[in-house]
Amino acid sequence: RRLLLNQYPRSFDYSEKNNALVMALKGEEFDAGLERESELIVVSYNVLGDLIWQQRAAFKGDVFGMAEMDEGYVFVGNFREMKDLTGRVQRVSEPAGSRLYLLRVSEDGSFNKLSFPETEGSVVGNLLYKVSEDCLNVFGSKGNYTRTAQLDSNPSTALHVIFNSELNVLSDGE
C-alpha cells in the first residue's frame, strides 16, 4: 500500500511487540538540511499499511536515528531551532551550528519528553546505537553542521555521548 505522506523517510523500524512499522519523516528531499523549517512527522502503521497514530512538530533540524524502548521510542537528531514541549523555542547561537535533541515518544504516539543536551559549542550527531534499555550512544563530530554518515575518529573532534532511558547524559566523552 502506498503511504499518503509525501515526506522523506529518515529513520524507521519494525516493532515486533506492537506488530507495527514506526518511522520518522522529514522534508520532501533527501538533503533537507537545517536551514528551512519543515515538519518532523512521526508515524506508526500496522502491517496492512493502516495508520495507527501520527504526530507532527515543525522545526529546523533533522532526524538521524531511532531506538525502540520498553515504553515507546527515542528519536535523535540535530537542530538549529526547535520548540520544547512547553512551546519555548530553543535556538543555536552559532550561524552554521547545530545541537542534539532526543525525543521520547510513547507507544500511543504522544511526545513524552524532549531533551536538549548541553554541549560546548556546536555538535553534529550522525549515528545512534542502542546498547541496552539504559544505554543509548550517539556518535558524531564537534563543529558546524555537515550531513555525513562517516564516523569521526579524530580524538579532538569526535563526539560520543551516552544517554540513559530518561535521556540524561551519562558520559559526554570528556
Side-chain angles (χ1 to χ4, degrees):
R1 175 184 279 192
R2 184 170 167 78
L3 301 179
L4 299 177
L5 299 169
N6 63 347
Q7 300 291 306
Y8 195 87
R10 302 294 171 179
S11 189
F12 58 91
D13 196 11
Y14 172 71
S15 171
E16 192 170 330
K17 177 172 62 172
N18 297 315
N19 198 24
L21 181 67
V22 178
M23 67 177 90
L25 304 112
K26 173 94 173 45
E28 295 181 10
E29 304 164 2
F30 174 73
D31 189 14
L34 303 184
E35 296 78 31
R36 289 179 288 159
E37 182 173 300
S38 63
E39 284 187 314
L40 167 67
I41 305 171
V42 181
V43 296
S44 179
Y45 292 97
N46 67 19
V47 293
L48 300 175
D50 299 322
L51 180 67
I52 299 171
W53 52 259
Q54 172 179 252
Q55 290 288 340
R56 295 171 179 252
F59 75 119
K60 293 179 181 177
D62 69 8
V63 59
F64 61 81
M66 73 167 284
E68 184 173 6
M69 307 298 280
D70 278 342
E71 298 178 8
Y73 312 90
V74 172
F75 294 87
V76 183
N78 303 291
F79 79 97
R80 287 218 175 114
E81 186 176 294
M82 186 174 201
K83 287 183 183 176
D84 65 18
L85 298 181
T86 66
R88 191 170 149 227
V89 176
Q90 300 283 326
R91 285 188 183 87
V92 175
S93 57
E94 297 91 3
S98 63
R99 284 181 46 206
L100 295 173
Y101 73 87
L102 288 91
L103 173 64
R104 190 169 60 206
V105 179
S106 69
E107 290 179 344
D108 69 0
S110 57
F111 291 172
N112 287 11
K113 185 172 184 177
L114 182 57
S115 174
F116 305 102
E118 288 297 322
T119 57
E120 200 169 305
S122 181
V123 297
V124 181
N126 58 25
L127 178 69
L128 170 66
Y129 182 75
K130 178 185 170 185
V131 175
S132 69
E133 273 306 303
D134 216 30
C135 186
L136 298 170
N137 290 257
V138 173
F139 299 93
S141 300
K142 298 172 186 171
N144 289 340
Y145 179 81
T146 55
R147 180 100 173 129
T148 178
Q150 296 179 351
L151 289 180
D152 190 344
S153 60
N154 181 341
S156 65
T157 58
L159 174 73
H160 178 205
V161 186
I162 303 172
F163 299 92
N164 64 14
S165 60
E166 294 300 314
L167 310 185
N168 297 318
V169 175
L170 299 177
S171 172
D172 63 5
E174 298 294 323

